[in-house]
Amino acid sequence: MENLGRGERMVRIFVYLMAHYNNHYSVTDIMQHLDIPASELRSVQRDMQALINIPGDYIERYTEFGKVYYQANVPKADKLVFPEFSDTLLHLVFLKRVANIYPASASLVNNLTTQISGSLPKKSQDTLSQLSSALNNRILFMGSAPGFDEASAKNLYTFLRAICEHRKVQVRYTDNWGNFTDKVRIPLMIVMHQGDIYVGCTSQSHAGATYTLKLCRVESVKLTQEQFIEDAKVLEALRARIRAGALLLGEQSPKSEEVVILFEKQILNTLKEHPYHQSMHIEERKNDLRVTMKVEVNDLLKQWVMYYGNIATVKQPEELKRMIRETAKKLVEKYEK
């Protein structure tokens, strides 16, 4: 990674700790995870002290067996899955946007962004201002345009309030076939996936089951007076589906497998820009790219691989090969008629 200014490092460190709120890290751990050069050790140590000094105690420091660790100390951090932006300024714009729609985080984000923005170079401050203006209503989609308008922002605010207050919501929703439903839902978590926002919910008819609503398909959402009791096991089950890449088309209890796919080299930047899963690793070899990840093998993964056509070759597992062969056979039969 290129050398970063102080403000940029602080943003990346803060967002990383927020995104991994359950874990604690030493300075060395943080530097390794964020690929920060060892020569910047002193700078990172100063960054951590600055983050700890921000009013509100949002980052916690403690000592265990003589070693110093840091961890996010933010209530309800587990209800918001942070996207992993590669652009540091987008981190900051995203945080600012969260402050606008997520009241519980407003003071945290405002304190952080005010301190960090002032430490950025003048050129970066100007860029940040431009990004904030251009992406204010779309930053949660990382700049793409699936229609995140003011109505969506209001609906998201209502969902977040329901999550914080443990209240059920009345949702009018359009499904894949264009059918409307108007029913009570139990929202648990907000998830960003492939540029879209989803609301993770728990089923009221099938104990322990979870499902998602696509935010842009929500026509209206209203808070009810009925509260729900949050089940830690169901929350963890939802997180497990996210980790396994099984959020949309996968099983309720997904099993992650080691997936290996070879790609032609001209697709390198596209793969970097649109990774399928956060566990995806790209190895550049002499004649091809070797992509590995640990995810559930499901229809969503099959569709992603087939999108790349003959420039992708699945090496393992056999089940994914079989799924692709069967779909390809059906396509041939369809167009031979």
Side-chain angles (χ1 to χ4, degrees):
M1 180 183 295
E2 72 284 2
N3 290 333
L4 302 174
R6 184 185 184 194
E8 293 174 315
R9 281 195 312 271
M10 286 177 66
V11 175
R12 290 194 175 181
I13 292 169
F14 178 82
V15 174
Y16 186 82
L17 292 175
M18 284 287 288
H20 303 83
Y21 60 91
N22 272 332
N23 301 326
H24 62 265
Y25 302 93
S26 67
V27 167
T28 302
D29 294 333
I30 292 170
M31 294 178 68
Q32 289 177 346
H33 287 301
L34 297 182
D35 196 23
I36 299 174
S39 59
E40 297 187 29
L41 174 61
R42 296 288 187 187
S43 297
V44 175
Q45 290 173 332
R46 287 193 293 269
D47 293 341
M48 298 311 301
Q49 185 60 51
L51 287 172
I52 290 173
N53 289 340
I54 294 176
D57 298 324
Y58 302 121
I59 301 298
E60 180 182 17
R61 177 174 60 191
Y62 61 92
T63 302
E64 188 175 274
F65 301 113
K67 193 170 183 178
V68 177
Y69 292 97
Y70 300 88
Q71 185 170 7
N73 183 34
V74 182
K76 305 299 181 182
D78 59 334
K79 302 302 189 302
L80 196 64
V81 179
F82 279 78
E84 296 188 3
F85 297 125
S86 59
D87 189 308
T88 304
L89 291 181
L90 282 183
H91 273 140
L92 200 52
V93 179
F94 175 75
L95 289 173
K96 286 177 174 288
R97 183 60 178 155
V98 170
N100 293 337
I101 61 176
Y102 191 25
S105 69
S107 60
L108 180 160
V109 176
N110 287 333
N111 284 336
L112 181 79
T113 56
T114 297
Q115 178 166 337
I116 293 179
S117 298
S119 67
L120 293 173
K122 179 63 167 62
K123 184 177 180 180
S124 294
Q125 290 187 29
D126 292 341
T127 303
L128 175 61
S129 178
Q130 294 171 4
L131 284 171
S132 297
S133 176
L135 302 180
N136 186 46
N137 288 324
R138 295 184 291 165
I139 188 59
L140 291 173
F141 294 104
M142 297 175 67
S144 60
F148 186 71
D149 52 19
E150 287 305 313
S152 295
K154 291 178 181 178
N155 290 340
L156 181 57
Y157 174 87
T158 302
F159 277 119
L160 288 167
R161 183 178 170 190
I163 290 170
C164 288
E165 298 177 8
H166 295 152
R167 289 167 63 180
K168 297 182 180 181
V169 287
Q170 184 79 30
V171 181
R172 182 169 172 79
Y173 186 73
T174 309
D175 64 18
N176 288 338
W177 296 270
N179 301 315
F180 283 102
T181 58
D182 197 337
K183 58 191 295 186
V184 173
R185 314 270 188 171
I186 300 178
L188 298 179
M189 189 177 294
I190 303 300
V191 183
M192 288 73 166
H193 177 75
Q194 297 291 314
D196 283 321
I197 299 178
Y198 295 84
V199 182
C201 302
T202 182
S203 172
Q204 298 184 80
S205 55
H206 298 86
T210 60
Y211 63 94
T212 58
L213 301 175
K214 198 170 185 178
L215 182 66
C216 64
R217 293 182 184 169
V218 174
E219 183 175 312
S220 65
V221 55
K222 297 179 180 178
L223 287 169
T224 71
Q225 295 303 313
E226 186 179 2
Q227 291 194 296
F228 63 87
I229 298 175
E230 193 173 82
D231 189 330
K233 291 183 179 179
V234 175
L235 270 176
E236 181 52 35
L238 184 56
R239 294 191 195 102
R241 294 187 68 193
I242 294 169
R243 288 193 296 268
L247 176 67
L248 304 182
L249 297 178
E251 299 292 332
Q252 287 294 326
S253 299
K255 177 184 177 183
S256 295
E257 299 183 50
E258 192 72 29
V259 174
V260 180
I261 310 169
L262 302 184
F263 288 87
E264 294 183 11
K265 298 195 74 172
Q266 72 265 25
I267 206 69
L268 175 61
N269 285 336
T270 300
L271 291 174
K272 287 182 176 180
E273 293 163 358
H274 304 285
Y276 177 79
H277 190 260
Q278 61 184 8
S279 68
M280 195 173 95
H281 174 72
I282 304 173
E283 178 188 353
E284 297 184 52
R285 307 197 302 185
K286 182 177 180 180
N287 298 316
D288 58 23
L289 305 171
R290 186 176 186 270
V291 172
T292 57
M293 54 185 142
K294 195 166 186 179
V295 295
E296 183 191 55
V297 175
N298 55 33
D299 283 336
L300 192 64
L301 177 61
K302 179 198 72 175
Q303 292 171 11
W304 182 78
V305 174
M306 294 189 72
Y307 169 81
Y308 291 101
N310 64 354
I311 64 174
T313 303
V314 175
K315 304 304 291 183
Q316 70 177 63
E318 290 299 321
E319 174 63 12
L320 181 55
K321 295 181 184 180
R322 182 194 66 77
M323 293 169 66
I324 293 174
R325 283 198 302 268
E326 289 187 356
T327 301
K329 182 179 178 180
K330 292 177 181 178
L331 284 171
V332 171
E333 292 173 350
K334 180 176 182 178
Y335 286 103
E336 279 186 336
K337 295 178 181 180

